[in-house]
Every structure is written in C-alpha cells, then in structure tokens.
Amino acid sequence: MIKSAIYVIATLIGLRTLAPEYSMMFVGLSILGACFLASKIYNLMLGWIILLGCAFSVTGILIENTILALPFGLDAKESLALADIAFWTFGVFGVVFILRALGNKHDVLSVFEVIFVTASVAYSFSVHRNKQIHQPRVLSDWAWSHGIDPEIILQVLGVVVVLCAGIVLLKTRRLAKIITTFATLLFLIILLINIGSQRLEPIVDTGGLGLTKQEQEESNKKKEQSGRNDGRGGKGGSSGGSGGGQSQKGRTGGGSGGASSGAKSSITVPVAIAILHDDYTPLYGIYYFRQNVFSRFDGNHLVADEIFDTDVITSFPVDTPIMAAPTLYSENFRTIPTSMFLLVDHPQPVALTSSIKISPLENPNPRHFVASYEVESLTLTTDYSRLSGRPSIPNEWTEEMKSHYLTIPNDPRYKTLAEEIVRDIDPRFRGDPMLSALKIKQYLEKKGFYTRSVKYEDPVDPTGVFLFGNMRGYCVHFAHAAVYLMRALGIAARVAVGYAVEDMGQGSTIMILSHQAHAWPEIHIANVGWVPLDIYPEQTDEPPPILVDQDLETLLGELARRDPTGGRAESPRRLEIPWEKIGWAVFAVIIGLFWLSYMIKFIRQLYGKLCKGKMAYKVVFRAVLDRLSDMGFVRYNGETRESFAMRMAETCPSLVPLTYMHLRCALGNRESVSPVVFRKLHREASKEIRQKIKLWRRIAGWINPIGWFFTR
Amino acid sequence: MDKAKLINKLSSVAHVFRRIFDLFPIGPTGAIIAVVCFVGIFHYGRGKADYILYTAGIFGLGVLVIAMVFTIGGAIYVAVLTHKKTRQEIDTCVGVQVKTGYYFPSLTFLPFLSVTETWVRPKDVIVEAHETWRGFEERVTFSGRGKFDYVIRRFFVSDIFGLSSIGFYRVFPATIRVEPGLANIGFDISFRDVSREGYSHPHGEKVGDMVEMRHYAPGDPLKIILWKAFAKSQRLIVREAEKSIAPEQSTVACFVSGPNDEPSASTAKAFLMSGLMGADFTFLADGGECPVKTVNEAIEQIILSINFRDNGGECLFRILNKVGIDKMSRCVIFLPSGFGGWYKKLSTFVTMLPTPPTFVVSLDISLEELKPSIRFIFFGERKISKDLADFMETLQNLSKLDGDLKVIQVRTGLPLTPTEVESLKHWIAEKTI
C-alpha cells in the first residue's frame, strides 16, 4: 500500500511537466490498478510480464490514435483530452505494472523501481541543473520570496527520495526492525548533512579555453597522463618553474592545439555576475571580461608569462587590494568600478578589461558565489581610428621585452602573408601599427570561417595549419593567427582570454555565461597601452546566440546585492505555519481514529454475539479471534489457523472445535453446523478467557482499540 | 568425461564460488545501487549541479556503507554466537515439522539487520525460524529420507533493504534419522493377490468359510443361528465367516531406489506398517545386504537406500539369489516415479519370475493441481514438470512389462483407476484432458 502511494506520488511528480492536468487523476488510479494487478500475477514468467506491460502501453497508443482518427462525435478539444487520458493512463499502467511485477518477482529487480521513483522526481526538477537557480518556477519563486534557498529544498527532496527508495526496497514487515532502521537512517542524514549540502559546481565547458579551475585541473591531469604515456614527462617539467605559466600552457594547448576540447557544449552555465557601479556602454558593443593573457611563445603556441605581462592581475586579493603595473595611459581610457561575483571557480580573477586594481569584497552568498571582489577597470573610450599614427613599441621597452612580444613561429610564411595583407594600404599610412592591425583583422574576418568543429593537432605549429590551410577555426585560432601576423609586422601583440559579453542593454547587472568564453588579440600602442582588437569572422556555422535569461540575471544580481529573496519580495515573507490549527487537526484525527477503532471493535463483538444467519460461523469465529488478539494472542506469519487453535488450546479449548467448524463451513458445508452451536462455543470461549487469562491482561484487551486490526 | 561427473564437478566448483561470493559483503542490488549513486553524484551532481540526484546519491551511498558496516558487524556477532557446536539428535519422518532445539540470534532490535538460516547438508529440508525470546527457534521439515551424522548450516546476515549480505557456513555434529513419510493409506486400498485373487487387508470384507462360532448377539441374522446346537444345548450359537487373512503367507517385496523415489518410499512404509504385506514377508531394499522380515529392519533399509539411487534395481537379483525362485510367486516391487537405469534390471528380473509381480508406483501430486495455465488458455500448451514427465515415461515403460501395475496417489492414499492412468497419459501426450 505504501509502495503504491510512493509510486503514485513519484509518477505524478514526474508527469507534472509532461501530462495534462486533467489526466492526472486517471493516471493515479491506473498506477493503483497496476500495483494491484502486479501483486496478483507476478508469478508469470519474466517475458510475459514485460509483454503484458508493453501490451497495456501499446493499447494506450492505439486508443489515442483511434480517438484522434475517429472522434466519435466529440469536438476537437474533447477528442484531444480523451486521447491524452487514454495515452497516459494505459501507458503509465503498463510501465508501473512491469516495474512492480518485476520487483515482486525478484528482489534484485526492485532496483528498477528505485531508479524509476528517483528518475521521476529528478526529471521533474531537472530544470534547476547547471545553476539555473530560478527554476523550476513553481518551487523557486515561492522559496526565494520566503528567503529560502530552493537548493536546500531540492536537497531535502533528495533525502526524501532516498527514504522512499528504502521503503521500496524493504524486505521485511517487522515493525520493530523498520522503526529502528529508519531511526538510524535519520541519524545518518544528520551526520551526512554537511557532505550532502555542499555547493555544487557543474562541469563548465569554455570551448577549450580552460578558463575554469576544473578545466585547468583536468587539462593538467591529461598533460601529465600523456607525458607519462609518451615518455615526454620532461616537457611538462620544463615550464614547471612558473606555476601559472604551466597551467596556461596546458589550457592553450587545449585550444590552439585543438585538443579534444574544441567541441561546442550545448549546456550553458552562468559563471559570474558583474555589477557595474557606473553607467558604461562598451565602445564596440562587447564587454570584455579578461582573465589572463598569453604572450610568451613556447615554440608551439602562446602561453602565459609572469615577467612581462605585469599589467594583468592574475591572483585574487585576500586582505589587501592588488594593483596592476601602470602601463595604460588614462587619457584614452575611463575608469569603471565593478563588483565581480564568481559562480564557478576560476584560477585567475575575471575582470572587465583592463583591470588596474582588485580589492577584496565580502561574499554575500557563499552558497552561490565562490569569490567576490571589487574591480577598477580602465575601458577604452577612444575609437581605433584615433589611435593610428602611433608606434606600437615604445622606446623605453628593452630588447628582451621587444623580442618577447614579437616572437613568432620560425615560418617565413607569416611575414610574407602579413606583408601581402598590408600591401594595399595607402603608402602614406604604410607601417602604421593600428592600421596594419586593422587590415589583418579585416583579412581574417573576410577569409576566415568560424566553426568549433575543427581540431588542429599539429605538434609544431597548429596555428600555421589553420592560417595557411582552410582558415576554419574558432576564436583561439583566429586570435593566435592575428597575433602572429601582427608580430610579423613588428606590432607587439598578445592573446587575451576571458569572456566576451554582448551588450544587450542589460542594465547594471551582467551575467556571464560559459558559452561566452572567448580569446581575442590585444595590440600594444605606445602611449596608449594594450588595446583589444577582436576578430569577427563573417562566415560562421554557429547557431544564433543564446538569449540571456533575464530572470536568472536579475535573481543573481539581487543575491549579489545581498537581497535574500533574489528580488522576489521586499523582504522575506515569514513562513507562517499554523501550528495551532495543525495541532488541533492532529488531535481531532487521533480522537477520530480512536473512536472509529473502538466502534469497529464494538460492532465486531456485538455482531458475533447477535448474528444468527448463515454468516454466523464467520463472525463468531472472528469475534473470538478479536478478543484473543486484543490480549496479544495473534496468529504468527505462516501459522495455520489449526496450529494457532492448537497453540491456544490450553488457554481457550473451545477455539479448537470452533476453528474446525469454521473451516468446514468456509469450505462450503455451511449447513453442517448450526449457528446455535457457534454461539454456544462463543459463550464457552468467553468463559474460558475469563477463567484462564489474568485480569490485567483482560483489562488491557478491553482498552486496546486496535486488536481487531491484527486479527488474521 | 561422463556427463553426470561433469555436472557434479561443475556444481562443486559453483559451490566453492558461492562460498567465496557469500563472504563478499555487497549483494547484486547493492552493487547496482552503488553504480546508480555514483552516476547520480558524479554525472548529474558534480557534472550538472543536480541537487536532488547529488543528495540522493550521497545518502544512497551512505545507506549502502552503513548497511555494509552493520552487516559485517552482525555477521561477526552471529558467527561468534554460533561458534558453539552442540550435537543434535533428530528422529523424524519426511514431511513432519520438528523443532531441532537449536536457537540462533534474531538481532530483532538491531537496525538494518536480518538473519536467515538454511541447511546446506542435508539438502532436502525446509528450515523455518520462529522468533522467541531466546532468538530464532529452528524448525525443520525434511523432504527426503536419510541418515546424517552432521549438519552444515548456512547463516545469512543481510540488511533489510537487500543491499549487502554475508553468508557463512558452520558444521554441527548431529545424529539425524529421517524415515520416509507415511503415505495416507485409504480404507479401500488393497493389492491383488497374484496367485489366488484373495485380499489381505485387515479391514477387508469378511470372506472365507463359515467356521467361526460365537454366542448370538442382538442384530445377528436368524439364518446364521445353529439351530442344531440350540436344540442340544438351549444356547443360541451363531456361525460366521472367518475374518480375512493373507491367503498367501509369504510376500516378497523389493524397494527399488531411483530418481524421485520418496513417494514410493512413503507407500512402502505405509504398506509395511499397516500390515498389507501380511505377517510373513521378506523385504529387501537397494543397498541392503540381506532380506529382512521385520518392519523396523525394512524401514531402516528403505532409509539407507537413498544412497543407492544411481544404482537402483540391484536388490531385485540379490533377493532372487537369497530367497530362491520358488518363493517368488507373490512379489511386490516398489518402484521410483522417475525413470532411470533400474528399468533394464527390472525388465530382466520380471522375465525370471514364475508369476507376474505387482508394481507399485507412487505419485505425489493430485490431479486437481493440473489446472489449465494461462499458457494453456492462450496457446493450448502445457508446461509439464520434469518429475511428471519422468513419471509418465516410467508408466509407459512399465505397461510394457508383464505385471500388475498399481499407481498410488500418496496424498489421498488411493490407487488411480486404469481410466485415470490412461487419461493422465493422454493429458500429457495430447496436451488435453
């Protein structure tokens, strides 16, 4: 019965988003029917059970199609409703029948029941996955408005699912055992509450850029693994001196090298929230949130460098603010203060370009945010065209620095191609770094094809394969190609990685999503600083951009602003539980149950004394058993009625002839014993009970309201 | 290699594997649940931040671990408590439930745990555990006869969810003697005296010469009063027929052991105990050295014959040698229900006898059990158990031999009529009754 109830609840929860509401009642009834049928005919062969269940489900489909094809005089709405009801009722009946029957047949197969119950509940709430904390709305809106984190409710639901699964798997009916076991389980829940309630971070795919900590660790592991396998462990160790550099190398290898991570992920996860503290609209419609830069050429591709890229802040502030080296000239830039709240752990702080100061900030909601910090960023306010006429490399740069930012693969084709690209620039502006860079950008945008479906696994120069091949690739390939071409012309350039968020008029809260991970080139202009110069290929096979969920953005923004309701209410509505009413209701139910129990007990006894009809054999026998049961004398499991009578023969000898007469009548020979004989035996049994059972036990029997419940 | 030997070898290997597997504390359900939990935690929980499946996975694994810990602890506890081995003496019959006097811990108030016990040797026994204040009280019902000098008990400690379990074995010294069950011999049963068509049932009709004399009692018919005696002595004396006695004093009976011979053993025991063999009989069962003449000795031979099932029928030639062919004019042979190697020996033996013997074959099912199944309703096919199929093969082969065939239903104690036997054969052959 309890298992059936669990099935009904789990299935209805699971079908909440699939089946129409009007079919739910029929589905519930069909589940009860399926459970009942399964309890009766589970002795069938395994194949028969599955066949029968499938037949029920197929019947549902056939009836649905028949109703839709032949409307039987119903209008379209009624036909659809009826077809839906038939489909879900029969379909669910078949599935539940198979699962219950299999569970009844073999203990091991109960596992499928557990999976079904768990999957039903999990499916219904699966929209909350990947940090979609505003989903499902039916739960989320209510929870947030009361200041409760819906994740806590979901975790409680997970615990309830385990308890229900435990009931489904239960192999005993011994109450003492069940009570002690579930009490222990509750204790276990309390013990594990810390582990179970830890915040979860989904696996985030940043398109091979390896921006998150998870990806970085995974990439390092892979590197170590492949190093061990190839016997090339020394390669990883060669750059081991600089921890950050090593990790960047791994990540870039994943992107530029086109290792397996080039595939596009269909799941998008919010990774950070940025709150702008000043009005700001990006110059070219894109907010660039930079995480790191790759400038050192390691013989294969560009990796991070800790010596020269001092303008990039690559560590999180702990107690004091971290300042970047002053390389930017503020007349072309404007200072924008922002607050950043990371939802997914990153190895370096993500900040609006170009961050000059990062200060610590108290985490407003550690359950949802991994880190939070204040950022002061310098954003470009000058148009690219106004930056022309300036050299790229300032005079104060050392030869080492120049060499660092101009190193490219030892391939003359880069220089040849770069010169060919800038050949048609007006001779007056030939050699201008900004115009040359723009020309390269234009070339790559025109010739390139943006796609995430390619891999470049050349161990020497993957960018060369891309650039001098079919020019099909994604941001990492374009950024590397642009940087190499620019460097070939003597323009200091590097690759920046982070997130590029399109300006959609979001307001002050910007939600950064995992699919917005991006790599773009930055060029250095003397007396200006590093300027982002992104490539946007004209040809692409990418689907249209995923729309940002405004609701989630607002919710996270409000959470970041320390609003516990996530903007759902002015202040958390107090969850008022009418304890008094509940108490009275429970009291009334208990009293009602007591009254009902005593009434049933009384009626069964009275009927046993008064009945004179054909059913006397039954009610008299039942009345005597009830009296014994009241006093704790109950037939064991598996004990026959005759054995029970023999066991009780010392206490109540009349039970023996009563049992045999009852058996004779029950087997069809009702006329063989007169009701008078039964009543006589009843009186004798009562007398024997009075004489042979102690008074305290008889009193306990009178008081006991539920003895009849255990009569078997 | 012989097929039987191969099967034996395989089963012993399987047994060894089972014993090893029993010690492994996680069952198939637990293993699947563990996999499901790991998928929940790592694929959906950590991979997609699904809080329901992550929490369910963590707690599911927690339950599994706790269940394993409890099971291992419980198994050690039960193992310690069952270490003491006391000798048990059991003298019972097949089909009768007896208390062995052995108790094992029930662990009622310990959470998670459930304890069950089975017997590995002897095999043919159903063990029931009844809870008492001392723990579980063991009650056994044997389904096969035999004598055993030790018992191997398998204790199985598991959690109530069936996630983890540990089984271990204990050998206990014992003296167990299990007689065949007593078949229910009906009042109508009789077996035909092959030589003289007489009846030897003690409750049979009074037949024979009117030789018994006694005083008149009210109700006696007038025609049996001896008026001549009355005239002489003035006393009413009546003469009545003698009570039926075995017309042939010596019956030679054999018990052939073979596959599924337990019903025949029950019938043979019933024949012996109810005196259907007559006062003077000679009995030999397979495995017995010499023919015996008392009921107790005969039953003892039937018990021990279980060890000679593979070589059944040897007793036929042995009794012929010991008794001599001249005394074999009234021979009753109890045959197993299952067809086997004994048939060839029997067919040779029958040709050596001066008069056809009586074959007694027993059947331990009732015809009412042969209800039409769903399979029959849908497809008109019946699923016939191997025992029943073997039984029918036995019947068909025995009908080829020269002898009087009696098929006795053990449960009712009644012989099947020839019509019933024929319809049963037909039922199996034609799949309809």
Side-chain angles (χ1 to χ4, degrees), chain B residues 14-309:
Chain B
H15 181 66
V16 171
F17 271 107
R18 193 185 172 191
R19 291 187 75 148
I20 296 167
F21 184 72
D22 270 353
L23 290 172
F24 192 65
I26 189 161
T29 312
I32 299 169
I33 290 287
V35 172
V36 171
C37 287
F38 275 113
V39 170
I41 293 170
F42 291 105
H43 183 70
Y44 290 101
R46 290 193 180 277
K48 298 182 176 180
D50 187 316
Y51 280 86
I52 294 179
L53 291 178
Y54 178 75
T55 316
I58 290 282
F59 283 105
L61 272 188
V63 172
L64 182 61
V65 170
I66 291 285
M68 279 171 66
V69 169
F70 269 90
T71 304
I72 292 168
I76 292 168
Y77 179 69
V78 174
V80 169
L81 288 188
T82 55
H83 192 66
K84 193 180 169 189
K85 294 164 185 172
T86 49
R87 175 173 284 277
Q88 283 164 326
E89 292 190 3
I90 301 168
D91 194 348
T92 183
C93 293
V94 168
V96 176
Q97 192 181 65
V98 284
K99 293 178 184 177
T100 61
Y102 181 72
Y103 290 85
F104 62 96
S106 61
L107 311 177
T108 305
F109 291 101
L110 275 181
F112 285 96
L113 294 177
S114 99
V115 186
T116 54
E117 182 232 0
T118 48
W119 283 20
V120 178
R121 190 182 180 279
K123 266 189 207 168
D124 301 330
V125 60
I126 299 159
V127 182
E128 280 181 29
H130 285 251
E131 197 166 11
T132 65
W133 63 272
R134 284 180 67 185
F136 280 129
E137 182 191 49
E138 183 185 70
R139 294 178 191 183
V140 291
T141 312
F142 288 88
S143 54
R145 65 194 186 279
K147 276 189 164 184
F148 310 95
D149 51 4
Y150 65 93
V151 174
I152 302 176
R153 289 187 170 94
R154 177 175 179 255
F155 294 95
F156 194 71
V157 181
S158 67
D159 65 278
I160 60 169
F161 304 117
L163 302 173
S164 71
S165 58
I166 289 179
F168 60 91
Y169 298 76
R170 285 262 185 266
V171 182
F172 292 82
T175 308
I176 300 171
R177 181 177 172 277
V178 187
E179 284 185 14
L182 191 61
N184 185 14
I185 298 295
F187 287 114
D188 297 334
I189 192 168
S190 58
F191 71 89
R192 188 168 58 90
D193 184 338
V194 181
S195 59
R196 289 166 63 178
E197 294 292 328
Y199 291 86
S200 67
H201 196 286
H203 304 290
E205 289 294 315
K206 288 176 179 180
V207 291
D209 296 332
M210 301 287 277
V211 292
E212 297 281 334
M213 287 197 291
R214 60 171 171 79
H215 285 287
Y216 172 80
D220 283 340
L222 291 177
K223 68 176 183 179
I224 61 165
I225 296 174
L226 294 172
W227 294 110
K228 280 184 184 175
F230 175 71
K232 283 180 188 171
S233 64
Q234 296 298 307
R235 285 178 184 173
L236 283 172
I237 305 291
V238 295
R239 180 181 285 172
E240 64 174 4
E242 62 182 345
K243 268 204 164 184
S244 110
I245 52 170
E248 187 72 25
Q249 291 298 313
S250 181
T251 303
V252 175
C254 303
F255 179 81
V256 175
S257 64
N260 201 14
D261 61 358
E262 209 55 57
S264 285
S266 298
T267 309
K269 183 185 168 187
F271 269 61
L272 286 164
M273 292 190 75
S274 58
L276 286 177
M277 301 283 195
D280 183 21
F281 65 87
T282 308
F283 185 90
L284 186 69
D286 270 323
E289 285 297 318
C290 297
V292 292
K293 287 187 167 289
T294 64
V295 172
N296 286 346
E297 284 174 321
I299 291 174
E300 208 61 23
Q301 280 197 354
I302 295 173
I303 293 171
L304 294 173
S305 68
I306 194 166
N307 302 320
F308 298 90
R309 276 177 170 168

Side-chain angles (χ1 to χ4, degrees), chain B residues 306-317:
Chain B
I306 194 166
N307 302 320
F308 298 90
R309 276 177 170 168
D310 297 338
N311 198 21
E314 288 295 317
C315 65
L316 298 171
F317 301 108

Side-chain angles (χ1 to χ4, degrees), chain A residues 662-683:
Chain A
H662 168 263
L663 205 62
R664 205 184 304 157
C665 293
L667 291 173
N669 197 3
R670 288 186 191 175
E671 283 74 29
S672 64
V673 187
S674 159
V676 180
V677 178
F678 274 109
R679 286 213 303 281
K680 191 182 167 199
L681 281 171
H682 187 192
R683 280 196 299 276

Side-chain angles (χ1 to χ4, degrees), chain A residues 48 111 125 128-130 151 155 159 162 166 170-171 174 177 181 184-185 189 192 198 200-203, chain B residues 29 32 46-48 50-56 59 63 66 107-108 110-113 131 160-161 379:
Chain A
W48 276 109
V111 169
F125 292 92
H128 82 279
R129 286 176 191 164
N130 296 311
E151 284 176 358
Q155 283 171 337
V159 173
V162 172
L170 215 54
K171 302 276 179 290
R174 293 166 67 195
K177 189 67 80 181
T181 302
T184 314
L185 280 184
I189 288 164
L192 291 178
Q198 67 174 264
L200 294 176
E201 254 184 38
I203 293 172
Chain B
T29 312
I32 299 169
R46 290 193 180 277
K48 298 182 176 180
D50 187 316
Y51 280 86
I52 294 179
L53 291 178
Y54 178 75
T55 316
F59 283 105
V63 172
I66 291 285
L107 311 177
T108 305
L110 275 181
F112 285 96
L113 294 177
E131 197 166 11
I160 60 169
F161 304 117
F379 301 105

Side-chain angles (χ1 to χ4, degrees), chain A residues 219-220 223 234-239 243-255 294 296 298 300-304:
Chain A
S219 169
N220 286 346
K223 278 261 166 205
K235 192 178 176 187
S238 64
S239 54
Q246 190 190 4
S247 63
Q248 297 305 336
K249 179 183 173 185
R251 290 213 309 269
T252 319
F294 305 148
R296 183 163 61 83
D298 74 342
N300 180 271
H301 48 261
L302 297 174
V303 294

Side-chain angles (χ1 to χ4, degrees), chain A residues 201-205 210-226 228 247 250-251 254 259-261 347, chain B residues 42 46-47:
Chain A
E201 254 184 38
I203 293 172
V204 177
D205 180 9
L211 297 182
T212 65
K213 207 164 187 173
Q214 276 177 356
E215 286 178 299
Q216 190 192 21
E217 282 165 3
E218 198 130 318
S219 169
N220 286 346
K221 267 186 210 166
K222 274 184 192 169
K223 278 261 166 205
E224 280 171 24
Q225 195 84 25
S226 65
R228 259 186 252 125
S247 63
R251 290 213 309 269
S260 58
S261 50
Chain B
F42 291 105
R46 290 193 180 277

Side-chain angles (χ1 to χ4, degrees), chain A residues 527-577:
Chain A
N527 298 327
V528 175
W530 290 98
V531 177
L533 196 75
D534 203 357
I535 314 288
Y536 303 108
E538 289 172 7
Q539 302 172 73
T540 179
D541 60 0
E542 282 289 287
I546 300 164
L547 287 176
V548 175
D549 194 322
Q550 297 286 336
D551 194 36
L552 180 61
E553 194 174 60
T554 312
L555 177 65
L556 287 169
E558 294 305 317
L559 286 179
R561 290 187 179 97
R562 298 178 186 280
D563 180 353
T565 70
R568 295 291 195 275
E570 288 294 316
S571 59
R573 284 177 216 152
R574 199 163 155 258
L575 195 61
E576 285 179 3
I577 301 169

